[in-house]
Every structure is written in structure tokens, then in C-alpha cells.
Amino acid sequence: FRTHAVTIGDDDSKCWRLHESAHGKNFRVKNLCIGQDIEWTGSDMSGPGGGQKVNILRDYIYCLPDHDVVLFADGFDTFAISDLEEITRRYLEFKCKVLFAAEEHLWPDKDLEFPECETKYRYLNSGTFIAQVGELKKMFASSTVADDGDDQLYYQKLLLSNEFDMTLDYEGYIFQTHEEATGINLSLIHISE
């Protein structure tokens, strides 16, 4: 199988941290908005929104083989600290088809009930995930989201339905979210002109 690293950002210049950090780890992240003449209608992300990311990803994976894998990372606020081979290897250790980042805070619907876990990272964060294409296709076929709907809420409801082979990275083995101890030394990243 092949692992496809993708992002979605309507302004590729704002994705520079992700692109440069991935380049430093010898892989490329494809921005699914670039060259596709896509007008962003997924909200300004100052509140719930981002459903258009789901819909763009759904269209992208349509022709991919079911056994391939997709690594998705939000474009504007993520960066890579491991190479694609290491990320994929760690994903395979989970023995699940879909693995999302986990975070400490429940958002946007505080009424959702997530199971208890042994770490403070209990809730699904949709900013980074890695998944088998075939399982993503099943998830996307089961329900839809409006472009201005919320992508995180969409994925949270799919997880809580227990209908799919999904889990969370409760220990931050691959993904870190909102952790003050995690950062990037920007002086180590070469910015291309």
C-alpha cells in the first residue's frame, strides 16, 4: 500500500510550517486545494466549521485503492517531527483502520458523551488523523456534512456510533494536540523563497 500525506488549506503560504517540516523529514504533503480552483466555503473557522475539508477529502480518495492509507493534517497549524515511514509504522501498531488525534477538551458539542480513558487526552481532534482509504470511504458513505458544518463534530459522531474501526491516539504516540511542551524551533526550518 501507499501512504498519501495530504492537507487542505485555501492559502498554501499559510501551510509553510507543515510543508517545510515535512520536507525536512523527506516527504511531501499534497494540498488538495491547490490547482483545483476550489473556493473555500467551510466558514472562517473562528467557531464551528470546516465541513468542506471532509467533502474535499471524500472527493480525493474516491479513486484511491481501498488498501492505501491517508495521513491528513490541518494546513495552518500542524507540523511534522517524524518521517512518513515512522508515522505509518506507528499507525500499523494500533491495529485499527482509522486513528485520530486525541485532545483534552471536548469541542464543539460539550453534550457528547465520550468513554473514560487513562489519559487526559479523551476527545477526538480532527486536525490530524491517519486512516485506511476503504474505511474512510465507508464512513463518508454513511453520512454527509455541509461545507459550513463542523468537521470535528462530524468525525466525533462517527466515532461514537461504534460502526467503524476507529480509535484515538490517547497517549500521543503519533499526534500531539494543544500540549504546551510540544513546539517547533522555527529557526531550524529553512524557508524557501
Side-chain angles (χ1 to χ4, degrees):
F1 68 91
R2 179 178 166 207
T3 300
H4 307 263
V6 300
T7 191
I8 294 172
D10 63 333
D11 181 348
D12 203 44
S13 68
K14 292 181 182 177
C15 301
W16 72 269
R17 286 178 190 85
L18 177 59
H19 288 311
E20 293 291 334
S21 61
H23 177 74
K25 296 298 178 182
N26 297 313
F27 71 98
R28 183 178 162 271
V29 178
K30 180 178 183 169
N31 186 340
L32 301 182
C33 285
I34 302 307
Q36 302 301 315
D37 200 26
I38 294 172
E39 179 185 348
W40 180 254
T41 57
S43 86
D44 66 3
M45 300 307 292
S46 61
Q52 189 174 10
K53 292 186 285 186
V54 174
N55 296 325
I56 292 169
L57 183 60
R58 174 189 287 122
D59 292 344
Y60 173 72
I61 68 168
Y62 179 77
C63 292
L64 294 180
D66 286 354
H67 60 272
D68 275 8
V69 169
V70 169
L71 170 66
F72 175 85
D74 274 345
F76 298 165
D77 60 357
T78 60
F79 55 89
I81 60 169
S82 295
D83 61 44
L84 195 55
E85 183 177 316
E86 175 70 11
I87 294 167
T88 303
R89 183 190 63 77
R90 288 181 178 220
Y91 158 68
L92 293 173
E93 289 177 10
F94 278 87
K95 299 192 183 321
C96 68
K97 293 181 180 174
V98 181
L99 179 69
F100 273 86
E103 67 176 301
E104 191 174 353
H105 306 285
L106 177 57
W107 187 89
D109 184 349
K110 296 194 182 298
D111 293 330
L112 292 180
E113 293 187 23
F114 277 73
E116 295 292 330
C117 73
E118 295 180 7
T119 73
K120 65 182 181 178
Y121 305 110
R122 177 178 167 194
Y123 305 109
L124 182 146
N125 178 294
S126 63
T128 47
F129 63 87
I130 186 166
Q132 181 193 64
V133 168
E135 194 72 357
L136 280 177
K137 288 177 181 177
K138 289 179 195 172
M139 291 164 55
F140 293 156
S142 74
S143 65
T144 59
V145 61
D147 281 352
D148 63 352
D150 192 77
D151 64 312
Q152 185 151 295
L153 181 60
Y154 172 81
Y155 289 125
Q156 287 172 339
K157 288 181 176 181
L158 289 174
L159 173 73
L160 295 173
S161 76
N162 293 313
E163 294 176 22
F164 305 98
D165 188 0
M166 299 173 70
T167 194
L168 304 182
D169 185 5
Y170 294 107
E171 296 179 353
Y173 188 55
I174 300 174
F175 307 118
Q176 290 286 320
T177 58
H178 307 289
E179 181 58 53
E180 291 178 21
T182 302
I184 187 168
N185 184 341
L186 299 179
S187 66
L188 298 177
I189 296 178
H190 170 73
I191 302 171
S192 352
E193 294 292 329

